[in-house]
């Protein structure tokens, strides 16, 4: 047992060195200027750069919308698979796994083709305004739709693992026997037992949206990842500072989400 514990601490230490040493070196590079000593000018310039706040806010809005949409789609579907649609499980698994097979560049090429086809063929129909609205730079709904597709494999696996540890049928039958409707049974009986799975799915989706670059760049929008690329080419120190700051922002958001989930679990256990 002691030997196993030693191996675990050794593996954890190696992982920490692998991840923290490059990060520490990057931080030192951004604050240690030859001839000036320690200075945080790179970070002050970055935080005051034009577009920082707006691009970060846009990414957070896109992440929130993506999390809401993908959970609304996958939670009822995965619960239905557990309750009585087991024959459709292979079909759902294949559909949710397709984004892992299709290259992002091919995916975005298909989106561009559809967006170009729409105005040409639907210019005299009410759908024309829909094509215009989903490409609004202030909040590009087309990015939300694309991110929902990209997040499906991760969200489905997280929810499926959570449902595997819960007796969904018994929970739903108990709620129904107490007079609850199907939506009430899902919200009040099933979802509280999936809090960990929902939190993991939200983690993965948030990280995906904040770090996604290819689709947003090729469609001409500027969320946080694209903004980082646009400001990081002129100055090497500023470029590294952008990378460090993006990691810090992502970690803080994930920690905040984890804190919210932890408080919810504590409140539920006390209740």
């Amino acid at each position: 047992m002691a030997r196993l514990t030693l191996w675990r601490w050794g593996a954890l230490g190696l992982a920490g060195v692998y991840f923290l040493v490059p990060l520490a070196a990057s931080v030192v590079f951004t604050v240690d200027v030859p001839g000036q000593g320690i200075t945080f000018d790179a970070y002050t310039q970055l935080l005051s750069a034009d577009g920082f706040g707006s691009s970060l806010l846009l990414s957070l809005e896109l992440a929130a919308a993506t999390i809401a949409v993908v959970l609304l789609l996958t939670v009822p579907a995965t619960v239905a698979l557990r309750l009585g649609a087991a024959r459709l499980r292979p079909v759902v698994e294949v559909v949710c796994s397709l984004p892992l097979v299709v290259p992002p560049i091919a995916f975005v090429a298909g989106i561009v083709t559809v967006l170009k086809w729409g105005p040409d063929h639907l210019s005299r129909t009410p759908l024309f305004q829909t094509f215009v609205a989903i490409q609004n730079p202030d909040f590009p709904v087309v990015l939300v739709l694309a991110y929902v597709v990209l997040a499906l494999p991760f969200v489905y696996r997280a929810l499926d693992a959570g449902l595997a540890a819960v007796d969904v049928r018994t929970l739903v039958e108990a709620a129904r026997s107490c007079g609850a409707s199907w939506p009430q049974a899902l919200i009040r009986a099933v979802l509280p037992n999936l809090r960990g799975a929902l939190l993991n799915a939200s983690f993965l989706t948030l990280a995906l949206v904040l770090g996604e670059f290819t689709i947003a760049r090729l469609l001409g929008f500027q969320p946080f990842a694209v903004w980082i690329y646009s400001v990081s080419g002129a100055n090497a120190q500023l470029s590294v500072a952008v990378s460090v700051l993006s990691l810090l922002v992502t970690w803080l958001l994930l920690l905040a989400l984890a804190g919210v989930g932890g408080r919810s679990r504590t409140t539920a256990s006390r209740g």
Side-chain angles (χ1 to χ4, degrees):
M1 186 60 119
R3 183 176 298 178
L4 181 60
T5 303
L6 182 62
W7 275 106
R8 288 177 178 175
W9 280 108
L12 183 61
L14 288 175
V17 170
Y18 180 81
F19 286 107
L20 295 180
V21 169
L23 181 60
S26 300
V27 173
V28 171
F29 176 76
T30 58
V31 299
D32 187 12
V33 180
Q36 299 183 18
I38 302 299
T39 177
F40 294 93
D41 290 344
Y43 293 98
T44 56
Q45 293 174 13
L46 179 62
L47 293 174
S48 61
D50 184 34
F52 171 78
S54 59
S55 62
L56 179 58
L57 180 61
L58 176 59
S59 288
L60 294 178
E61 292 174 347
L62 292 173
T66 303
I67 291 171
V69 173
V70 76
L71 290 181
L72 285 174
L73 289 174
T74 53
V75 170
T78 50
V79 172
L81 291 177
R82 293 283 174 177
L83 290 178
R87 294 180 180 179
L88 296 178
R89 183 183 180 88
V91 178
V92 175
E93 288 184 350
V94 170
V95 171
C96 291
S97 300
L98 282 178
L100 298 177
V101 180
V102 179
I105 190 67
F107 181 47
V108 72
I111 295 175
V112 171
T113 302
V114 173
L115 293 179
K116 288 183 178 180
W117 172 86
D120 292 339
H121 294 80
L122 302 174
S123 58
R124 297 183 179 180
T125 68
L127 290 177
F128 175 75
Q129 295 300 326
T130 302
F131 273 85
V132 174
I134 64 174
Q135 300 178 70
N136 185 353
D138 294 333
F139 186 77
V141 178
V142 64
L143 284 184
V144 175
L145 301 177
Y147 293 160
V148 166
V149 174
L150 293 181
L152 274 178
F154 312 106
V155 174
Y156 173 77
R157 291 301 176 188
L159 293 178
D160 188 60
L163 286 169
V166 177
D167 190 351
V168 180
R169 187 178 297 277
T170 300
L171 288 174
V172 173
E173 289 178 354
R176 293 283 292 165
S177 65
C178 293
S181 62
W182 282 105
Q184 289 175 334
L186 177 63
I187 294 173
R188 296 184 179 182
V190 178
L191 290 186
N193 291 278
L194 292 179
R195 190 174 289 110
L198 294 172
L199 191 61
N200 291 335
S202 301
F203 279 166
L204 295 171
T205 305
L206 176 63
L208 184 148
V209 174
L210 290 180
E212 200 287 319
F213 171 81
T214 304
I215 295 177
R217 174 70 174 177
L218 293 179
L219 291 180
F221 302 110
Q222 196 179 50
F224 193 53
V226 178
W227 179 84
I228 288 175
Y229 171 81
S230 65
V231 302
S232 63
N235 188 315
Q237 197 174 39
L238 183 62
S239 175
V240 177
V242 167
S243 301
V244 172
L245 186 62
S246 64
L247 285 174
L248 181 62
V249 169
T250 304
W251 286 350
L252 290 177
L253 290 173
L254 293 178
L255 287 174
L257 194 56
V260 171
R263 285 196 297 271
S264 299
R265 285 192 293 270
T266 303
T267 302
S269 62
R270 291 176 178 175

